[in-house]
Amino acid sequence: MSCLTAFLFGGVERRGNDTTPSSGNMQDTSVFSTTPADKPSPSPSPSIWASRPWTPVRSEDSSAIIGWTKARVSYLDSSPLEQQTLDVYIPLPPEHSTTPPPAGTLPLLPGKWIIFIHGGAWRDPKILSSAFIPAARRLLATNPGEISGMASLNYRLSPHPDHPSSSPDDAAGRNAHHPDHIADVLSGLSFLQQLAPDMEYVLAGHSCGATLAFQVVMRKPERWGLPGMQIRLPRAVVGFNGLYDLAGFIARPDEGFEDLREAYVEFTRGAFGDDESVWRDVCPTTAADPGGWVGEWAAGGGQKVCLVQSPEDTLVPRGQLEGLWAVLEDAGKGEVVVEEREASGGHDAIWMGEGMAPVLVEVLRSLDQ
Ligand SMILES: Nc1ccccc1C(=O)C[C@H](N)C(=O)O
């Protein structure tokens, strides 16, 4: 490995040659910058980052160390909430093949990042950032060599009628309403991008996490009513069994999915309130002016969308993928490559098994070809 750069808070520690860790063709036009911000972007606190140790990720077959992880790092300095944390994974840097990197550092191999947003209908307290563990483990085990780092984000949830909160902090983290979910996702991305400036990344999401991934590229933060933040946009968005048109499903559930209408109404109201125009506005298939956001995102060059839908999914119909596909084909006008990849298993089987990892690697590899 010719280049190993370690980022140390309070000063940059560089070893090896002095090239940047990313492949460097990120275009400035894909950075949404808004100034002046009425609140500053959250800045990573060295003590919070350093307070979480690197722990080994081990191969299931040989128990050899295949990478390092920091779990549940707060991405907002002032927040005690589990829901405002993220997990980071890094492939093995040569210098740290058996001993953990110092807790205050983020050793970076060259390559791109994969960042994951979990699903759970904006409310399920049992589906968290840990949903990415099977994919992270598989990606580290196969070590494709193009990955600089990976992260999985938590975000505040809306209340779930079947799962009362278990503590005051749990209640505080589970009383979110739009735009809280996307605000947290953007805060998490901003935190990561201060750790790894200039990162190029694939943003992937499952179910409502796929909706959130598109919300990142759909609008500038202030259009969600959020304070300005400097967010570098992803090169690719990958949606696994994603929700892209809530209002459309609720108005006309797909054949065979009619029984789910009430559940969709319940979680949509829980996350976005009763105003149906908001339901349309927050979804990539139905938001006004798709040409606008696709064009702004595509201005960076080389952007890609990959949509994945398991045929056996009993919670999300294929119509969700098809609706978004049609809009992107029309609005993207060839500027954004849209592709579909196969998957199998039920709604959650795609992340519980190892189905996401091969798709993510293929998308990552295809970006600079
Ligand atoms: N009904 C759905 C339809 C589509 C997507 C997810 C769901 C869920 O139920 C997710 C989650 N397990 C929940 O308890 O809210």
Side-chain angles (χ1 to χ4, degrees), residues 28 64 73 80 174 192 212 223 229 233-234 274 276 327 341 345 363:
D28 281 339
V73 181
R174 292 183 45 216
L192 287 168
L212 284 159
R223 290 204 211 145
M229 271 187 217
L233 295 184
D274 296 335
E276 295 184 20
V327 165
R341 277 168 208 262
V363 171

Side-chain angles (χ1 to χ4, degrees), residues 272-316:
F272 301 102
D274 296 335
D275 181 348
E276 295 184 20
S277 70
V278 175
W279 305 354
R280 285 191 290 276
D281 210 35
V282 296
C283 284
T285 304
T286 49
D289 188 24
W293 67 261
V294 176
E296 267 178 275
W297 179 41
Q303 273 67 13
K304 177 173 271 191
V305 168
C306 177
L307 301 176
V308 185
Q309 178 64 51
S310 326
E312 298 90 0
D313 191 341
T314 54
L315 294 179
V316 176

Side-chain angles (χ1 to χ4, degrees), residues 79-238:
S79 173
L81 302 178
E82 285 285 297
Q83 290 85 356
Q84 291 177 315
T85 62
L86 51 80
D87 308 326
V88 173
Y89 303 85
I90 50 166
L92 276 193
E95 293 167 343
H96 295 290
S97 55
T98 52
T99 49
T105 65
L106 172 61
L108 291 177
L109 293 171
K112 298 186 178 59
W113 281 68
I114 295 173
I115 302 179
F116 180 72
I117 310 172
H118 69 78
W122 291 274
R123 64 181 195 174
D124 190 337
K126 295 192 171 147
I127 303 180
L128 303 168
S129 60
S130 53
F132 189 61
I133 291 174
R137 189 180 275 292
R138 168 94 182 263
L139 290 165
L140 292 173
T142 50
N143 190 9
E146 288 98 349
I147 297 177
S148 180
M150 298 184 279
S152 181
L153 306 177
N154 286 301
Y155 48 91
R156 281 169 296 162
L157 303 177
S158 297
H160 196 306
D162 306 336
H163 298 281
S165 53
S166 56
S167 68
D169 270 355
D170 188 42
R174 292 183 45 216
N175 193 28
H177 300 280
H178 177 75
D180 297 340
H181 321 94
I182 181 65
D184 284 355
V185 165
L186 293 169
S187 296
L189 291 175
S190 170
F191 177 93
L192 287 168
Q193 292 176 6
Q194 289 172 66
L195 285 171
D198 304 330
M199 64 155 59
E200 286 194 78
Y201 66 109
V202 171
L203 185 60
H206 170 254
S207 196
C208 74
T211 326
L212 284 159
F214 276 98
Q215 287 175 351
V216 170
V217 296
M218 270 164 74
R219 302 290 178 95
K220 296 178 182 180
E222 71 270 30
R223 290 204 211 145
W224 296 120
L226 297 169
M229 271 187 217
Q230 279 232 328
I231 302 291
R232 190 168 277 272
L233 295 184
R235 289 285 305 282
V237 173
V238 184

Side-chain angles (χ1 to χ4, degrees), residues 247-262:
F249 182 92
I250 289 167
R252 290 169 307 280
D254 301 52
E255 203 184 331
F257 290 78
E258 297 85 352
D259 290 357
L260 284 168
R261 187 176 176 277
E262 280 319 303

